[in-house]
Amino acid sequence: MNELLLQGLVNGIILGTIYALIGLSLNVIFGVLRVVNFAHGEFIILGAYGAYFAQQWMGLSPFVAMPLIFAVFGATGYGLYFLLIRRLAKSDDPEHASLLVMFGVAIALGALMLIFFEADSRSLAYSIDPPFFMFGSIIVPTSKLLALGIIVVITAILAWFLYRTLPGKALRAIIMNRDAVQIVGVDLERMSAMTFGLGLGLAGITGVLVALIFPSFSPFIGQDYTLIGFIVIVLGGLGHPVGAVVGGIIFGLTEQTALVYTSGTTATLLGFLLLIGVILVRPTGLFGREALK
């Protein structure tokens, strides 16, 4: 197989897992709350800034700061649910209402980041020895390998939580039938707040990983990650956690292998064509709602 193609496949798998993590957190929020978190990308960039300032002010490495950022973002999400999200989730049309409100939140967060952090791009200062590994002719930066390992561990923990614990099973039950779950006495308010906290906590960790593997970040790129998140969950199926993982890897592989033969613009275009193709063939996504029943 062509060496460049192999390099593209490896890059696609690694970036695909990042996309999967974005889609996973977005999908859990949408599946449980039916809230379209259009500000998800801005929370990811806030996570990147959190790692940056933890490093600058507290001297923490990004890897040590990661659980701290998860806790802060998780607590923020838990509180934000009672402040804002609960009203949206109880509206007559939560999808449309949340889309408009969270779009406004995204603009507000982008403006606040611009005010506090200015327009200059930032990057994390860190060094890892060795800086890269070679597998034959394939070069993989150590930071990407570490990010891949962290994402695999997070995904495994999340899968264990969703499929092996009582709260996780309750979350999946809410995704399948919110009304029926209320009959058996599940505390929907607490579970919903926990879900939004979990989603924002994962967004914070994703931001740290993005800052680790990409050269820089700025207040203007949040919407790019939001868009990728929505592509991933539409590919995999709205509200389906496993679908988000599969959708993220498929999108990453498509984008990165296309980059081997075409320009970045064409590679992005192919990603969107893939999305349109899946919608035409299977409107519910690869793991649509029927698969959950």
Side-chain angles (χ1 to χ4, degrees):
M1 187 180 290
N2 186 289
E3 292 177 356
L4 286 176
L5 180 58
L6 273 176
Q7 183 75 58
L9 289 172
V10 171
N11 291 339
I13 290 172
I14 294 174
L15 284 184
T17 56
I18 290 276
Y19 297 160
L21 192 59
I22 296 172
L24 194 56
S25 50
L26 199 57
N27 223 357
V28 169
I29 291 175
F30 179 81
V32 173
L33 300 171
R34 314 308 292 178
V35 164
V36 182
N37 184 14
F38 215 80
H40 203 71
E42 275 68 23
F43 284 112
I44 289 173
I45 301 304
L46 270 178
Y49 277 109
Y52 177 82
F53 284 99
Q55 186 181 59
Q56 295 293 318
W57 292 346
M58 304 167 66
L60 297 178
S61 82
F63 301 103
V64 175
M66 208 172 287
L68 178 64
I69 289 173
F70 176 79
V72 171
F73 274 63
T76 303
Y78 194 90
L80 194 59
Y81 170 79
F82 292 103
L83 182 66
L84 177 65
I85 304 302
R86 180 168 58 176
R87 296 173 184 271
L88 296 174
K90 289 184 177 179
S91 66
D92 294 334
D93 189 354
E95 286 93 348
H96 287 91
S98 60
L99 174 65
L100 296 174
V101 171
M102 297 312 289
F103 184 67
V105 171
I107 294 174
L109 284 177
L112 287 172
M113 284 192 286
L114 190 59
I115 291 171
F116 286 107
F117 307 135
E118 301 180 343
D120 297 336
S121 296
R122 308 291 177 93
S123 58
L124 296 180
Y126 69 95
S127 62
I128 303 174
D129 189 31
F132 60 86
F133 285 92
M134 290 196 69
F135 302 95
S137 59
I138 307 300
I139 300 173
V140 184
T142 309
S143 59
K144 286 188 176 181
L145 278 179
L146 287 172
L148 177 63
I150 291 169
I151 293 170
V152 169
V153 171
I154 291 173
T155 305
I157 292 174
L158 197 57
W160 171 80
F161 171 72
L162 288 174
Y163 290 89
R164 296 294 182 186
T165 68
L166 197 56
K169 291 177 181 177
L171 287 185
R172 290 173 50 230
I174 294 172
I175 293 174
M176 286 187 280
N177 194 325
R178 188 179 182 88
D179 296 330
V181 167
Q182 295 184 73
I183 299 173
V184 297
V186 173
D187 187 344
L188 275 180
E189 289 291 314
R190 190 173 66 86
M191 296 302 297
S192 298
M194 186 181 72
T195 299
F196 200 71
L198 176 65
L200 288 202
L202 291 174
I205 288 181
T206 307
V208 180
L209 296 172
V210 164
L212 280 172
I213 67 172
F214 290 108
S216 63
F217 52 89
S218 73
F220 306 108
I221 60 174
Q223 288 301 306
D224 294 345
Y225 291 107
T226 300
L227 187 59
I228 288 172
F230 279 111
I231 291 173
V232 166
I233 64 175
V234 171
L235 277 176
L238 290 171
H240 201 294
V242 177
V245 175
V246 175
I249 292 175
I250 289 175
F251 184 70
L253 283 171
T254 303
E255 183 187 70
Q256 292 301 310
T257 52
L259 269 176
V260 175
Y261 302 105
T262 65
S263 65
T265 305
T266 308
T268 304
L269 177 64
L270 286 175
F272 281 103
L273 289 177
L274 172 68
L275 172 68
I276 293 171
V278 170
I279 290 175
L280 289 175
V281 175
R282 188 175 171 80
T284 57
L286 299 175
F287 293 79
R289 180 166 291 274
E290 289 87 356
L292 289 172
K293 292 178 180 178

